[in-house]
Structures are given as C-alpha cells and as structure tokens.
Amino acid sequence: MKDKKNSLTKKQFKAVTRKYRSEIGSGKAGLGIKGEITNQTRWIWFDREQIEKVLKKTDGKTGGIKFYFGEYDESFIEELGSNYVGRMMLAMVPCDQDDLNKKAANLKGLEAIDFEDGDDEEEQDDEEDEAENGGRICPPNC
C-alpha cells in the first residue's frame, strides 16, 4: 500500500515548486498562514527506507535522486498542520544520469515529463507517485 502522506501529486508538485520559485527562490520570505515566515527551514531529514524506495526506481549504476526545492502550501494543512505552510521542502524524483537535463523524471518509465507553469487539463490530474516528500523539517520539528 502506498504511503499517501509522502507522495506528491503532479498538481502538488507543480504548486509547491512554483510557490518556492516565486517566494523563497526569488529572495522573498515564504508566506505561511499568519504571514511571512521569518524562521525558515534549517534542515530536512529523510529516513533510509524512503531514500531506498526512490533509488530502487533507478538504474543500479547511473541512478540517483533529483531533489526539487518546494514550499509547502495549504494543501498540506490537513496532514501536517498549518506550521508547514510557507516552509521549504524537498521533493525526491528518481533520475538516471542520462535524464539530468530533463525537467523531471516520470517514475513509471523514467521518461521526461514537463512540469511547465501552464495549467492544461492533463497536468491537473491527481495521479500519485510523481515525486516523494515526507522529510522531517526543522522548524517545527527541532
């Protein structure tokens, strides 16, 4: 059974990476429920099992993990609480070395998929398993 808490949908992946680029990634403070985040994420921890789960989806010699910076948005409140909104996150995507120049890797076949800023119908589906999340962040877990 898939651990929904750690899986990001395509829609969430696009939203959190877009939020990061427009706020923290451009030198602005992250925006949380109560305003600007002035005490931003200091570290992110992933357990061995989750890292190995992602690595198993890559080539044994040329495989690795591509980390995408993101920023938690309101879609995570129910699972994680409002303290996460506006804080940095990392999304893990399995990637073989030959795919490094592609925007993202499709976990089902490690083919390139394009996470552009457009909002066409296909990109809005809620298909799971496009990226993994679930790292413990500090704050609030420190």
Side-chain angles (χ1 to χ4, degrees), residues 53-72:
K53 175 184 171 186
V54 175
L55 285 173
K56 284 179 184 177
K57 297 177 182 178
T58 65
D59 182 82
K61 292 187 181 200
T62 66
I65 299 172
K66 191 184 266 190
F67 289 93
Y68 286 85
F69 294 103
E71 185 180 341
Y72 286 102

Side-chain angles (χ1 to χ4, degrees), residues 16-31 40 69-71 86 88:
V16 299
T17 55
R18 185 182 306 125
K19 183 171 173 50
Y20 171 82
R21 286 191 314 267
S22 69
E23 294 174 16
I24 300 168
S26 64
K28 300 173 188 168
L31 293 177
Q40 193 46 264
F69 294 103
E71 185 180 341
M88 277 183 65

